[in-house]
Amino acid sequence: MRNLTTTSATTAATTTVLLFLILLYLHIQKLTPSQKIMSQLQYSNPINPYNRLHIIQNSDGTLTRLPEFYPTIPPSTTDTSAPSLSKDVILNSDHNTSVRIFLPKNVSNHEKTSKKLPILVFVHGGGFVLCSVATPVVHEFCSESASQLGALVVSVEYRLAPEHRLPAQYDDVLEALNWVKEGKDEWLKNYGDLTRCVMMGESAGGNIVYHVGLKVANQIDDFKPLIIKGLILIQPFFGGVERTKSEIRLVNDEDLSLVVNDLLWDLSLPVGSNRSHEYCDPFVGDGLKLWDRVRDLGWKIGVTGCDGDPLFDRNVKLGKLLEQKGVGVRSLFDKGGHHGMFLSNPPKTKELFDFVNSFFPV
């Protein structure tokens, strides 16, 4: 009797295991090819994205950004070693937003100039969650941009997620553009040419410039006398539900692994949304239809990237689609490299400046 009971239990356990394996097999067959690969790769080298980003999630949903990993530097109108002067101006005290303006030193030596400078509105990266205009690499890049491009640079300090989720960042940059168009600031009034404005964003900043640019293009009269001439998207931060080949190939990338990528979207997208949202995926919704207006305005669009960046395939696809729509787009795609290289690697920064100067000459 005991043997019969044991045999029955063994048979039941075996049947349960077989049923589980069959269900697992059927589930895998329903996955897309990239999802099948990801199911095998995502645990091969587990990464704690919070540790990688040096952040702690608090019980109320806010973040603690460990200050030792995110130093800041102040603006200066007296630093003799900097290529440009800089100052901060409050944008919206209720939102704690501001702009940091950079003026080339060779221009600042004159109280006024007859030939005014083009205005470059810059939007920093950080996955919508990190960094600021005072982050050293951002500050130094903007200071060099003003000097090397001969421009008045307006770097936007926008609100961060998850404390303020998208589209708060888009709204803040739109508010900054409205502030620029008013031209009340002394530097803007004396040195800035409102008829020559270019928007440039890096990583998440590229995403912001993309969405804000589309909105401005379709409400162009609301921003006069400010005239936008084009957009520069530096390794723009986009995503999607379906994984790309470059994301799979660089699944554990040191600069932007997929688990970090996914966490940044989880923290920044509207609550209840996923990576199929148009803020994340530019190839869904009506976004691409709005580019007809950009084409008609004659804006120039620059898109940069490199194949050492997990975002590479999305950046290339965006450039090709805009070209197909007749938009005046130019691309700068490098071999190797990494995400963020155009700000952190001086030779690549110079390459970017040469690229910008090639079709936005001063």
Side-chain angles (χ1 to χ4, degrees):
M1 187 69 177
R2 178 182 296 176
N3 290 339
L4 181 59
T5 301
T6 301
T7 301
S8 299
T10 302
T11 302
T14 302
T15 302
T16 300
V17 171
L18 287 173
L19 284 172
F20 172 77
L21 292 174
I22 291 171
L23 290 172
L24 179 61
Y25 173 79
L26 291 174
H27 170 70
I28 291 175
Q29 296 311 303
K30 294 179 181 179
L31 297 177
T32 64
S34 69
Q35 288 173 328
K36 291 179 183 178
I37 295 173
M38 286 305 303
S39 68
Q40 301 170 13
L41 291 180
Q42 61 183 344
Y43 299 114
S44 62
N45 184 18
I47 295 171
N48 184 320
Y50 288 92
N51 291 345
R52 178 62 62 87
L53 295 173
H54 308 296
I55 58 177
I56 299 171
Q57 188 163 38
N58 304 316
S59 59
D60 62 356
T62 62
L63 294 180
T64 296
R65 300 162 179 86
L66 300 179
E68 60 268 32
F69 294 99
Y70 297 102
T72 59
I73 55 178
S76 176
T77 57
T78 58
D79 184 358
T80 57
S81 64
S84 303
L85 307 183
S86 57
K87 67 175 182 177
D88 288 345
V89 180
I90 293 173
L91 184 62
N92 186 322
S93 56
D94 291 335
H95 292 165
N96 197 29
T97 56
S98 60
V99 293
R100 179 166 291 187
I101 312 177
F102 296 82
L103 181 65
K105 274 186 177 175
N106 63 327
V107 174
S108 64
N109 291 330
H110 305 281
E111 185 176 348
K112 290 185 180 181
T113 177
S114 57
K115 183 180 179 182
K116 294 191 174 183
L117 304 176
I119 298 170
L120 178 64
V121 177
F122 180 75
V123 188
H124 69 79
F128 309 105
V129 170
L130 302 169
C131 301
S132 75
V133 298
T135 299
V137 68
V138 174
H139 175 93
E140 290 162 7
F141 174 80
C142 288
S143 186
E144 287 290 343
S145 295
S147 176
Q148 297 299 315
L149 298 176
L152 183 69
V153 176
V154 178
S155 182
V156 185
E157 178 79 343
Y158 56 82
R159 289 170 289 175
L160 297 179
E163 293 85 354
H164 306 280
R165 291 176 176 267
L166 291 166
Q169 293 72 19
Y170 305 154
D171 294 339
D172 292 343
V173 174
L174 279 168
E175 187 171 16
L177 287 176
N178 276 299
W179 177 85
V180 170
K181 83 170 185 181
E182 293 174 357
K184 294 180 180 179
D185 177 78
E186 181 183 3
W187 284 6
L188 276 172
K189 187 185 305 180
N190 292 339
Y191 305 107
D193 184 352
L194 293 178
T195 68
R196 292 189 296 159
C197 180
V198 173
M199 296 181 64
M200 179 163 70
E202 191 261 351
S203 191
N207 175 298
I208 295 171
V209 166
Y210 173 94
H211 286 286
V212 171
L214 282 178
K215 188 162 188 177
V216 171
N218 287 273
Q219 299 177 358
I220 199 69
D221 290 339
D222 295 341
F223 291 88
K224 290 180 178 178
L226 184 67
I227 298 178
I228 308 291
K229 293 293 188 179
L231 315 175
I232 301 168
L233 313 178
I234 308 170
Q235 297 178 281
F237 184 48
F238 292 116
V241 174
E242 183 75 8
R243 304 300 192 184
T244 65
K245 290 181 179 179
S246 60
E247 289 172 340
I248 294 171
R249 174 170 52 84
L250 298 164
V251 61
N252 292 317
D253 181 69
E254 184 176 347
D255 295 291
L256 190 62
S257 66
L258 270 187
V259 291
V260 168
N261 185 318
D262 290 351
L263 175 63
L264 292 172
W265 286 118
D266 289 344
L267 292 172
S268 59
L269 285 169
V271 174
S273 301
N274 62 21
R275 294 190 310 277
S276 65
H277 196 286
E278 62 184 345
Y279 294 161
C280 175
D281 190 343
F283 309 113
V284 301
D286 296 327
L288 288 175
K289 296 178 182 177
L290 299 176
W291 280 95
D292 292 340
R293 180 58 174 156
V294 173
R295 178 198 61 215
D296 296 341
L297 289 169
W299 285 10
K300 297 177 181 178
I301 311 298
V303 183
T304 79
C306 66
D307 66 5
D309 181 357
L311 303 180
F312 178 68
D313 287 348
R314 298 189 188 279
N315 296 165
V316 171
K317 181 179 178 181
L318 177 63
K320 288 181 177 179
L321 282 178
L322 294 184
E323 186 176 3
Q324 291 170 8
K325 292 185 72 64
V327 176
V329 61
R330 290 192 187 182
S331 300
L332 172 63
F333 294 123
D334 282 356
K335 293 287 186 181
H338 58 87
H339 190 72
M341 70 177 188
F342 289 105
L343 266 66
S344 61
N345 185 327
K348 292 301 177 184
T349 302
K350 183 182 183 305
E351 184 180 359
L352 174 67
F353 289 158
D354 291 342
F355 172 69
V356 174
N357 272 324
S358 69
F359 65 112
F360 286 115
V362 178

